[in-house]
Amino acid sequence: MGNRFQVKDRFADGAQFIDGKLRTGTSGQSHTVVNPATGEEVLTYALASTADVDEAVAAAKAAFPGWAAATPGERSDALHRLAAVLAEQADDFAYAESLQCGKPLKLSTEFDVPGTIDNTAFFAGAARHLQGQAAGEYSGDHTSYVRREPIGVVGSIAPWNYPLQMAAWKILPAVAAGNTIVLKPAELTPLTSLMFAQAAKEAGIPDGVINIVTGAGREAGEHLVGHPDVAMTSFTGSTAVGKRVAEIATATVKRLHLELGGKAPFVVFDDADLEAAANGAVAASLINTGQDCTAATRAYVQRPLHDAFVARVAELMASVRVGDPFAPGTDLGPLVSHVQRDRVAAFVERARGYATVVTGGEAPGGELADGAYYLPTLIADAAQDSEVVQSEIFGPVLAVLPFDTDDEGIELANDTPYGLAASAWSRDVYRANRATREIKAGCVWVNDHIPIISEMPHGGYKASGYGKDMSTYSFEEYTQVKHVMYDNTGVPRKDWHRTIFGDR
């Protein structure tokens, strides 16, 4: 494992980035970032206090007028420079992401980091393309047009599963639209969010535009969401915490974007390519060790293919190479923490009482015993209303259930509180098209599951939240829409005035 930089040296000044500088948190409490592959300390840092949040919001508020007044071209140029800085430092970002999360280096190198660079380049372009209805005389006597203006200070909270990408998904559309931002990353995984803010400074984005406060959710997070100078909140995380964020944000009438939990169905019709579906299910259920809100978690397989699908997925899962995230041959790393590993293991242990664990279902021993590892796990014979089918596990666990008719398959796919992502597997275009129409999810893939692109929106239905990340749909959410209307007649007394006073 070749160190690109020493983390303790890099963050010796603290894990808060406020007004362009790293600082030490003042809460009096500390947190340790742990390498989940080994259990070893990576960095111990002081957590942010509410006072630190206040200072970060004040810095963002002070920077807002200047950044909002920058032309779209100037903001675009700054983000293009940021994309270039990120590309130059890609190896360091990938290393830090794998170190704090435990994800295989090949995933960080080929997915997280290039995806973030592409997002940055996309929003650099989006900054110059504000959309609105064409100016025109819609009333006949007036000219109307639409302005899109920045909202103000955005206070966002990002999760631990994709720390770099989720930070970018929140920061980029906000600053592209002329807002300033205070982002709270997860305490477990703050490194790449801080590095992203430092890269933005290197790219010439003014101090105060991007601020990072690393603190506890109940202290720093809730204070940020409820802050009177924060005009919008974007949160990605569990549905339970999302409800709490919504309660706090509603009290101050903030604009709110929530990207919450998921329990993605993977619907395999009986005319599907079995080998493609089996390979797709393994990849889609195990990405990021299953710690992905769009990961395939419930496979519904039409009965003629069910047994063969279970056998092939079990075979492929057993071939997955679990190990050191930095080893070249590793496919699957540890979960983000031992707490998360034990939570996943508890789901599986309870499932043994009502279902069949086909493969996996345990933590490996030997040289991996000190890490937060868990083997790829396939569960069959679970009921639709069982815990492993209805609850978000967030680990390398896939449950497979049979169905008979197409109606039943789609009904089962929709039968959870969530609606973030789904996939349908069929060679029949009409069958697949029906599934895309009737499955209630923000993204439905056909004959694939997981790929995302900067140009298309990501966000959910139902308990998976509302609002979009990525795409121009996301960009527009970070703008205020203002209608401007000019009188074209010059007439002092308008005809409509008679409805209020006097006669025609």
Side-chain angles (χ1 to χ4, degrees):
M1 182 172 66
N3 291 19
R4 277 72 175 183
F5 59 88
Q6 295 296 320
V7 172
K8 291 178 182 178
D9 293 340
R10 177 73 174 259
F11 299 108
D13 293 330
Q16 319 299 326
F17 189 85
I18 299 173
D19 204 17
K21 299 179 182 64
L22 283 175
R23 292 177 26 174
T24 300
T26 62
S27 69
Q29 298 177 312
S30 63
H31 186 85
T32 299
V33 177
V34 173
N35 178 352
T38 63
E40 296 172 350
E41 176 194 347
V42 173
L43 175 71
T44 297
Y45 64 91
L47 290 165
S49 65
T50 56
D52 296 323
V53 173
D54 289 340
E55 291 197 31
V57 172
K61 184 179 180 180
F64 174 69
W67 185 245
T71 67
E74 289 168 339
R75 293 198 293 266
S76 175
D77 289 346
L79 290 176
H80 277 302
R81 292 194 300 270
L82 174 56
V85 173
L86 295 173
E88 290 170 3
Q89 300 177 10
D91 288 350
D92 284 350
F93 274 96
Y95 166 72
E97 194 77 334
S98 288
L99 187 66
Q100 66 182 351
C101 297
K103 62 183 68 187
L105 188 61
K106 68 177 180 180
L107 183 65
S108 297
T109 301
E110 298 179 30
F111 182 72
D112 298 72
V113 174
T116 300
I117 296 169
D118 187 71
N119 288 162
T120 307
F122 173 82
F123 282 109
R128 304 184 80 142
H129 293 88
L130 294 163
Q131 300 296 315
Q133 193 162 353
E137 289 66 52
Y138 296 96
S139 79
D141 291 336
H142 307 81
T143 296
S144 289
Y145 65 87
V146 169
R147 290 178 57 87
R148 282 195 176 271
E149 298 178 347
I151 296 170
V153 176
V154 178
S156 293
I157 300 176
W160 48 256
N161 57 332
Y162 290 102
L164 175 60
Q165 284 196 312
M166 298 295 103
W169 285 11
K170 303 209 175 300
I171 292 169
L172 291 169
V175 302
N179 303 287
T180 55
I181 188 167
V182 179
L183 175 83
K184 191 196 90 66
E187 305 95 296
L188 288 172
T189 55
L191 304 183
T192 46
S193 299
L194 293 163
M195 292 168 64
F196 189 91
Q198 290 176 307
K201 182 180 176 71
E202 289 183 46
I205 293 176
D207 292 348
V209 172
I210 300 172
N211 306 274
I212 310 293
V213 289
T214 308
R218 290 189 179 276
E219 183 175 4
E222 293 196 3
H223 190 65
L224 176 61
V225 172
H227 201 289
D229 290 333
V230 169
M232 175 178 174
T233 289
S234 177
F235 169 80
T236 298
S238 71
T239 298
V241 177
K243 290 177 181 177
R244 174 62 179 156
V245 168
E247 290 173 2
I248 298 169
T250 300
T252 49
V253 199
K254 300 185 194 313
R255 184 176 296 195
L256 182 60
H257 167 212
L258 298 173
E259 200 268 89
L260 307 177
K263 192 69 179 173
F266 187 101
V267 183
V268 183
F269 295 101
D270 58 14
D271 67 326
D273 181 324
L274 177 63
E275 186 65 12
N279 278 270
V282 172
S285 63
L286 299 185
I287 184 171
N288 203 34
T289 318
Q291 299 165 124
D292 185 314
C293 47
T294 64
T297 59
R298 303 177 286 140
Y300 296 103
V301 184
Q302 208 150 21
R303 206 169 294 276
L305 290 185
H306 176 269
D307 292 351
F309 179 88
V310 169
R312 184 60 176 141
V313 169
E315 183 180 24
L316 290 170
M317 279 190 170
S319 73
V320 170
R321 298 164 295 181
V322 180
D324 177 2
F326 294 95
T330 294
D331 296 320
L332 194 77
L335 286 102
V336 74
S337 68
H338 287 79
V339 170
Q340 182 64 15
R341 191 271 310 276
D342 293 346
R343 178 180 180 275
V344 171
F347 269 101
V348 177
E349 289 309 304
R350 290 191 295 271
R352 292 184 194 278
Y354 56 79
T356 303
V357 176
V358 180
T359 190
E362 63 182 355
E367 61 185 17
L368 301 181
D370 291 336
Y373 291 94
Y374 199 76
L375 294 177
T377 300
L378 181 64
I379 294 175
D381 306 321
Q384 175 66 15
D385 62 356
S386 64
E387 183 185 48
V388 291
V389 176
Q390 292 292 324
S391 299
E392 188 172 32
I393 299 172
F394 231 52
V397 179
L398 175 65
V400 183
L401 292 81
F403 69 93
D404 292 303
T405 66
D406 290 16
D407 288 350
E408 182 189 9
I410 291 172
E411 181 182 353
L412 291 170
N414 286 329
D415 184 30
T416 72
Y418 301 105
L420 186 58
S423 63
W425 297 73
S426 174
R427 290 186 255 211
D428 183 326
V429 66
Y430 299 103
R431 216 173 195 183
N433 223 354
R434 179 194 175 190
T436 65
R437 289 194 309 272
E438 296 186 13
I439 293 176
K440 305 304 181 187
C443 175
V444 181
W445 292 281
V446 176
N447 295 327
D448 208 343
H449 190 119
I450 283 298
I452 54 175
I453 49 175
S454 297
E455 292 82 359
M456 289 293 160
H458 174 88
Y461 285 25
K462 303 190 295 185
S464 292
Y466 46 83
K468 300 298 179 185
D469 288 314
M470 300 192 295
S471 81
T472 55
Y473 295 96
S474 171
F475 178 59
E476 290 175 359
E477 289 187 18
Y478 289 87
T479 65
Q480 294 275 23
V481 176
K482 178 186 285 185
H483 171 213
V484 178
M485 190 179 225
Y486 282 89
D487 170 56
N488 291 332
T489 68
V491 176
R493 182 167 175 81
K494 310 294 192 288
D495 185 57
W496 71 267
H497 290 178
R498 67 186 170 80
T499 65
I500 311 302
F501 71 103
D503 300 317
R504 177 172 285 172

